[in-house]
Amino acid sequence: MKAKIVVADDEPRIRKMIARLLADEGYDVMPVENGREAVEALLSFQPDVILLDQQMPVLTGVEALEEIRHISPTQVVLFVTAFGSISLAVDAVKKGAYDFIEKPFDNDKLLLTVKRAVEHSRMKGEISTLKKTLGEKRSNVIGENTGLKQVMAQVLRVAETNATVLIHGESGTGKELIARAVHHNSLRANGPFVAINCGAIPLTLMESELFGHERGAFTDAKEAKAGTFERANGGTLFLDEVGELPLDAQVKLLRVLEERKITRIGGKKAIPVDVRIVAATNRNLDDEVKGGHFRLDLLYRLNVFTLILPPLRERKEDIPLLANFFIRKHNQALSLDVQSITPEAVKLLSSYDWPGNVRDLENALQSAMILCTDGTIRPEHLPDRVKGYDSTEEATIAGSGGSIREINAQMEKELILEALKKHNFNRTLTAEALAISRKTLFNKMKRYGLSTDEI
């Protein structure tokens, strides 16, 4: 059965050109002149996909999109906008459009985007049937906090679109878990999920890691290698700590997001890739743009849909749940049989502010599990920093002008300084000990004024 496409554009020449192009590919096409006719076609024509131009009489593209989504929340819509109006297109995706196309567009790119949109539309019915048969998909995100529940509701909503997602959150808040939840609840769930830490890859290997290389492309390239984009084809690519990408890599990433093609280092052939990007950062990318460290056009491409993860100190009611989850999780891995944790120990865990967030809590519980000998975690098994933590004292400090964030920053500064001294100020060894990249260490040293000349 032919897929049905509505093409809404008030310019007759463009409307006819797109309609003819799609008809030649075997689609059943209905051309319309404005947004109102596009809304009416939704009911009469029952299309698989609707293409909406933004600048139209009667109803603009965004206005028509809002009406279409009100009538049929699952209708797949492609938004067409003029070059330079990416912010409008991003707004349309946030309001429910599947994807957007910029004018002037390449015919092959238009056909590829429409093909993916049709496949997305038709797979929605199959996914709906599967969910009824197998039950709703789950994630490994643990918690009952209201803010976290709102994030998970947003995850389920954005997962069924093809929108690029940008996850904001402090280190250790579980950004990769959220990225995996987006993937596993999407139409790409059967495809690969590939994660890459942009801050952990040496600058010289960044391009090869992302785009791959051909044999002989450089000295150590003894065989051809597919990059992360190729390995993630048909699935999701998670770019963790995307704010640490060097500017030249940002340019190449932007080009791939626009053209949906990659070229291996040393290669001549452009390789089409169908990849959804989920990126994450613990930085304020707006500030990075102002400082000249991040490209504004790339931020527009990545920041189509934003998820903001609350730090653990703002969801302390989840700590008992997380504690029990981690105990169950690590019993087998550590060859232990820890059965419980006392209320006094839970109270101490809940009083601490966890500068390293959920990852920090997990590490502390693993340590406590190893120390406990009778299957029950008690206060004395917890790390000294947790046992000796005085929330009253911290509240007094905060009340005198220091915020929780400032206190955590001071703790991080002291931790870095201690590691630097331990490793004789060798930045490579210090970064390895702290499990961060040299670039991240350098940026933190600069932020806290920890130059070796001043220490």
Side-chain angles (χ1 to χ4, degrees):
M1 182 179 175
K2 287 184 177 181
K4 297 180 178 181
I5 314 288
V6 169
V7 177
D9 196 307
D10 67 322
E11 297 184 42
R13 182 179 61 83
I14 294 179
R15 185 172 65 247
K16 291 177 182 177
M17 184 270 289
I18 295 176
R20 187 181 306 114
L21 182 67
L22 294 175
D24 288 345
E25 289 294 311
Y27 295 115
D28 186 0
V29 185
M30 174 185 280
V32 297
E33 298 181 3
N34 56 58
R36 173 55 60 201
E37 291 183 5
V39 174
E40 293 170 354
L42 171 66
L43 302 173
S44 62
F45 190 56
Q46 296 185 332
D48 292 278
V49 176
I50 299 176
L51 270 72
L52 290 177
D53 186 49
Q54 165 55 14
Q55 299 298 333
M56 292 188 294
V58 189
L59 286 179
T60 66
V62 170
E63 291 169 342
L65 171 64
E66 290 174 342
E67 288 203 18
I68 288 168
R69 295 289 294 175
H70 180 72
I71 297 169
S72 177
T74 60
Q75 175 63 51
V76 176
V77 176
L78 288 174
F79 195 77
V80 183
T81 186
F83 176 77
S85 299
I86 292 181
S87 58
L88 265 177
V90 168
D91 185 51
V93 172
K94 288 179 178 178
K95 291 180 178 178
Y98 169 73
D99 204 346
F100 66 88
I101 305 168
E102 289 180 78
K103 291 180 179 179
F105 45 74
D106 175 83
N107 287 352
D108 290 338
K109 182 178 178 181
L110 173 67
L111 290 174
L112 178 62
T113 305
V114 170
K115 179 183 177 182
R116 286 205 323 269
V118 169
E119 290 172 351
H120 180 86
S121 175
R122 292 192 162 179
M123 283 180 68
K124 272 191 170 184
E126 297 175 18
I127 293 292
S128 178
T129 303
L130 281 172
K131 281 186 175 181
K132 289 176 183 177
T133 305
L134 302 176
E136 291 294 323
K137 294 185 179 179
R138 299 175 63 86
S139 76
N140 288 326
V141 181
I142 307 294
E144 296 295 327
N145 172 263
T146 301
L148 186 64
K149 283 185 172 181
Q150 290 174 348
V151 170
M152 291 311 299
Q154 292 173 331
V155 165
L156 294 177
R157 181 175 178 183
V158 74
E160 293 190 354
T161 74
N162 203 42
T164 301
V165 178
L166 181 61
I167 305 171
H168 283 274
E170 296 177 10
S171 294
T173 48
K175 296 188 286 293
E176 183 169 342
L177 280 179
I178 294 296
R180 289 182 181 276
V182 171
H183 173 73
H184 289 306
N185 287 281
S186 75
L187 299 181
R188 296 174 177 268
N190 292 327
F193 177 91
V194 179
I196 178 174
N197 188 326
C198 300
I201 301 171
L203 180 60
T204 52
L205 298 179
M206 180 65 71
E207 191 173 348
S208 171
E209 187 65 30
L210 287 173
F211 312 121
H213 61 255
E214 297 293 351
R215 180 179 179 182
F218 46 84
T219 305
D220 295 326
K222 294 181 173 58
E223 57 185 26
K225 175 189 172 184
T228 51
F229 270 93
E230 284 184 79
R231 298 203 301 273
N233 195 39
T236 302
L237 175 58
F238 175 51
L239 300 175
D240 197 8
E241 302 307 344
V242 71
E244 297 199 22
L245 272 178
L247 285 169
D248 57 345
Q250 292 178 32
V251 173
K252 293 181 173 66
L253 174 60
L254 178 64
R255 187 177 302 123
V256 173
L257 295 181
E258 291 175 341
E259 299 177 358
R260 304 180 192 276
K261 296 177 182 177
I262 61 102
T263 303
R264 292 180 178 179
I265 298 174
K268 297 180 180 179
K269 183 178 70 172
I271 304 170
V273 287
D274 175 20
V275 172
R276 181 192 196 155
I277 298 293
V278 178
T281 181
N282 60 10
R283 299 185 180 190
N284 185 323
L285 293 187
D286 289 322
D287 289 344
E288 295 295 309
V289 169
K290 292 174 185 175
H293 307 303
F294 204 83
R295 293 181 61 95
L296 179 61
D297 45 7
L298 178 57
L299 179 57
Y300 273 131
R301 284 285 181 180
L302 295 176
N303 198 23
V304 173
F305 194 92
T306 304
L307 296 170
I308 301 176
L309 294 188
L312 187 55
R313 62 182 175 273
E314 293 179 7
R315 43 179 287 233
K316 289 191 173 182
E317 66 270 34
D318 289 338
I319 288 177
L321 286 172
L322 289 164
N324 284 307
F325 171 78
F326 290 135
I327 290 170
R328 293 194 305 271
K329 174 183 175 182
H330 292 293
N331 262 331
Q332 183 175 358
L334 298 174
S335 299
L336 297 171
D337 187 25
V338 178
Q339 296 297 320
S340 62
I341 180 170
T342 66
E344 294 78 13
V346 171
K347 185 177 179 181
L348 281 173
L349 293 175
S350 300
S351 296
Y352 190 60
D353 263 327
W354 302 107
N357 291 292
V358 178
R359 188 186 301 130
D360 195 5
L361 172 66
E362 182 174 9
N363 292 341
L365 280 164
Q366 287 184 76
S367 173
M369 290 173 70
I370 292 169
L371 291 174
C372 113
T373 56
D374 63 353
T376 299
I377 296 175
R378 294 183 170 83
E380 58 266 27
H381 302 136
L382 299 176
D384 290 341
R385 60 194 170 97
V386 178
K387 288 186 292 188
Y389 184 74
D390 188 342
S391 59
T392 305
E393 180 181 345
E394 177 168 291
T396 303
I397 295 171
S400 64
S403 68
I404 297 296
R405 187 176 297 276
E406 289 168 346
I407 292 165
N408 287 333
Q410 181 62 31
M411 291 172 66
E412 183 179 55
K413 177 180 177 180
E414 291 173 1
L415 181 66
I416 292 172
L417 179 56
E418 182 180 341
L420 282 166
K421 289 178 179 178
K422 182 178 179 180
H423 296 284
N424 296 317
F425 303 101
N426 182 307
R427 293 182 184 179
T428 299
L429 293 177
T430 301
E432 289 176 356
L434 294 171
I436 58 177
S437 67
R438 286 186 85 256
K439 182 179 178 182
T440 298
L441 175 62
F442 176 79
N443 289 333
K444 290 182 181 293
M445 288 176 65
K446 185 176 179 182
R447 183 187 309 162
Y448 297 133
L450 295 178
S451 67
T452 53
D453 295 335
E454 297 173 359
I455 296 172

